[in-house]
Amino acid sequence: MDMLVIRGGQPLRGTVTVGGAKNAALPIMAATLAATGTTVLHGVPELVDVSTLSQVLRSLGMTVERRAGGALELTVTDDQPCFADYELVRRMRASVCVLGPMLGRRRRACVSLPGGCNIGHRPIDLHLKGLRALGAEIRIERGYVFARADVLRGADIYLGGSFGSTVTGTCNVMSAAVFAEGTTTISAAACEPEVVDLGNFLNAMGAKIEGLGTPLLKIEGVQELSAVEHEVIPDRIEAATLLVAGAITRGELEVANIRPEHLSAVIDSLRAAGATVELHGTRARVSMNTAPRPIDVTALPYPGIPTDVQAQLTALLAMADGISVVTDKVFPDRFMHLPELMRMGANVRREGACGIISGVARLSGACVMASDLRASAALLLAALAADGESVIRRIYHLDRGYDRLEQKLNLVGANIRRVTDAPENLPASLHLSTEEEAVPTVETSDVPPAPKFLSHPSASRQHELKDTARHG
Ligand code: EPZ
């Protein structure tokens, strides 16, 4: 298992380029299950999640090859398999995105219920509600969703939940509805750019979807979808992470290959916190040379601040000049990064769906543990700004969603090493192996002489001594 060793304090300067969007690539890859012919996808990032989904698709009768130039080539060679195994699905909940295309094209699917997650409760009740509305018979047994539909019929579906719309739920229902007889409407549909990218991909294959990017979709069913070539949109979450990296290190960073319209809320927050963000076409230049101003951040469905960016903004606000409140209305429990930031000296606490952040002047390097994808990104950002060295363990979480992030950051001045997680690789500065090192050094002259007892002090005397020790 690997860990990252980071020496903080280096302002980042230069240009970094954003890769393709993980959360667009995954549902689009799943949708190729419904395509006739060979699909070619450009801009699919090289991530653990992409290789996991590739394994799932291969188990469902597809070939998935990475061409020399980086494009992904996907072809259905056998449309009979319908079982998505728990061993694969448990590694990545987005595997549930195969449910809609399988039902649409093969009329049956058996997909493991996605496993638990460190960011909170993640049911798929809305996915199943939408598929049932299209006529699918669905039952849940032994941890699997068994779905079949001899006929899919258009329906009027409301897909809103207690926390707003569902991104992959909209992807699943849309991918099935494109094959339903008649017209389907989906209200309270997710408007995220990744859902729009999937819808554009399906339309390029011959689907008839209107209203993409709005909460109301209208879909006319078709018989077949023909494979096409498609370029995945840039990853707005990686872009946001890189923008925060430029600000938190008080550097001057140009982030290339962005869609500025996908980042409005994030750029607005960075500017409110005192960063300078200049936009030039598909490039954004961020700079910051003072402590951030404290701001309140609320993660909401798109176009609000993405829940996938609230941990990164929390890391930035940990050094703000005052108190900030970060609220997550999408995943109210998504605060696993707070205890780890505290290990680096942040003064943060959780109050329900909020993180209360009292900014401190400096963070100090420490050994910390990643708990989920975006929490690990937040810890990396904090380590880039902290004094001294930090170690982040369990960075397999980071590798699920960022393509060679530490290499990109090192090219613009960061000092990050990926090493095997072993004691000998722990930096000396983080070795506190003996007692005297563990106890802060205090000049002996400062230590009052131990009282000389002729006999054991009485209880009242002990109390008095404790008071003295406590209050000096
Ligand atoms: C997608 O997850 C993203 N993943 C997540 O990114 C992202 O955080 C999330 O959308 C919100 O934007 C992918 O696209 C692969 P939801 P998804 O269904 O679709 C509740 C990352 O870091 N809900 O939009 O699973 C749910 O509990 C990942 O890249 C139901 O109640 O999220 C949550 O509170 C993490 N019933 C809210 O809706 C359902 O049937 C939003 O969830 C489905 C969801």
Side-chain angles (χ1 to χ4, degrees):
M1 195 182 299
D2 291 348
M3 64 185 186
L4 292 181
V5 178
I6 303 107
R7 172 171 291 284
Q10 316 291 331
L12 300 188
R13 288 195 173 79
T15 300
V16 281
T17 301
V18 175
K22 166 180 84 82
N23 292 347
L26 296 175
I28 287 173
M29 286 172 66
T32 62
L33 279 161
T36 303
T38 295
T39 301
V40 178
L41 297 179
H42 298 278
V44 176
E46 299 200 16
L47 303 171
V48 169
D49 276 6
V50 167
S51 48
T52 301
L53 185 58
S54 298
Q55 291 176 62
V56 173
L57 296 179
R58 291 187 187 107
S59 73
L60 293 171
M62 291 190 70
T63 59
V64 184
E65 310 292 337
R66 181 78 73 167
R67 281 183 180 168
L72 215 54
E73 212 170 79
L74 306 98
T75 310
V76 174
T77 52
D78 176 4
D79 65 2
Q80 292 311 303
C82 68
F83 177 77
D85 186 67
Y86 171 70
E87 279 316 305
L88 289 172
V89 175
R90 72 183 175 82
R91 284 189 229 156
M92 182 193 60
R93 59 170 286 108
S95 308
V96 76
C97 284
V98 303
L99 195 51
M102 292 261 291
L103 209 51
R105 178 64 189 271
R106 304 186 184 182
R107 301 295 152 101
R108 65 195 198 293
C110 174
V111 180
S112 165
L113 280 169
C117 189
N118 279 332
I119 65 174
H121 185 38
R122 301 188 73 182
I124 61 166
D125 58 307
L126 297 173
H127 299 233
L128 305 184
K129 171 188 174 185
L131 296 174
R132 282 190 173 108
L134 293 170
E137 293 163 34
I138 290 178
R139 68 181 202 280
I140 292 176
E141 267 178 35
R142 301 194 302 280
Y144 280 83
V145 175
F146 292 86
R148 67 176 306 112
D150 298 329
V151 178
L152 288 173
R153 285 195 181 81
D156 294 326
I157 303 165
Y158 173 72
L159 218 44
S162 320
F163 301 93
S165 49
T166 164
V167 171
T168 49
T170 303
C171 293
N172 257 333
V173 177
M174 185 165 67
S175 299
V178 296
F179 289 108
E181 291 175 4
T183 304
T184 297
T185 61
I186 302 175
S187 48
C191 304
E192 274 68 4
E194 295 76 22
V195 176
V196 175
D197 201 22
L198 170 65
N200 289 335
F201 173 67
L202 291 168
N203 280 345
M205 290 205 285
K208 293 176 181 163
I209 306 167
E210 294 172 9
L212 287 168
T214 76
L216 180 61
L217 300 179
K218 184 180 172 188
I219 302 164
E220 293 300 334
V222 295
Q223 295 290 320
E224 188 173 27
L225 295 179
S226 307
V228 295
E229 202 155 345
H230 181 79
E231 171 94 33
V232 169
I233 57 171
D235 193 320
R236 62 193 170 105
I237 308 302
E238 183 189 20
T241 305
L242 293 168
L243 288 169
V244 174
I248 201 170
T249 58
R250 305 207 185 154
E252 190 166 323
L253 197 60
E254 182 176 77
V255 179
N257 189 34
I258 66 163
R259 292 277 184 84
E261 66 275 18
H262 293 168
L263 289 159
S264 307
V266 170
I267 290 168
D268 180 64
S269 294
L270 287 172
R271 285 172 172 160
T276 301
V277 182
E278 297 157 358
L279 295 175
H280 308 283
T282 60
R283 292 167 178 270
R285 175 180 291 276
V286 61
S287 58
M288 191 166 212
N289 50 29
T290 60
R293 287 194 289 266
I295 59 169
D296 291 346
V297 169
T298 301
L300 290 166
Y302 189 83
I305 292 171
T307 172
D308 296 345
V309 178
Q310 66 97 336
Q312 297 91 313
L313 289 173
T314 299
L316 175 68
L317 296 171
M319 286 169 286
D321 184 15
I323 295 176
S324 305
V325 179
V326 175
T327 306
D328 197 321
K329 300 262 190 183
V330 180
F331 289 113
D333 293 326
R334 194 173 193 170
F335 290 100
M336 298 280 285
H337 45 286
L338 295 186
E340 298 305 307
L341 288 173
M342 287 170 74
R343 288 179 52 74
M344 300 175 83
N347 182 355
V348 295
R349 73 176 194 279
R350 180 167 168 200
E351 293 286 345
C354 299
I356 315 293
I357 306 143
S358 305
V360 295
R362 317 281 311 163
L363 293 178
S364 61
C367 288
V368 291
M369 197 79 79
S371 56
D372 62 86
L373 169 53
R374 306 306 174 180
S376 41
L379 296 177
L380 179 53
L381 294 174
L384 289 174
D387 295 334
E389 292 181 293
S390 298
V391 164
I392 303 178
R393 290 193 157 93
R394 296 187 186 165
I395 53 159
Y396 55 83
H397 289 293
L398 192 74
D399 296 338
R400 289 192 46 205
Y402 289 96
D403 186 355
R404 292 174 287 245
L405 182 59
E406 77 265 18
Q407 291 174 25
K408 290 187 180 181
L409 293 171
N410 283 339
L411 286 175
V412 287
N415 182 335
I416 308 170
R417 289 180 298 117
R418 179 181 286 253
V419 297
T420 305
D421 186 346
E424 62 272 18
N425 289 331
L426 205 59
S429 62
L430 294 176
H431 263 297
L432 287 179
S433 53
T434 57
E435 269 309 300
E436 64 272 7
E437 282 179 310
V439 176
T441 48
V442 173
E443 287 306 312
T444 47
S445 57
D446 298 346
V447 179
K452 291 186 177 40
F453 295 113
L454 298 176
S455 63
H456 196 66
S458 67
S460 59
R461 174 67 180 140
Q462 280 193 42
H463 183 71
E464 192 184 306
L465 282 173
K466 274 183 189 154
D467 263 354
T468 310
R470 191 175 298 131
H471 301 303

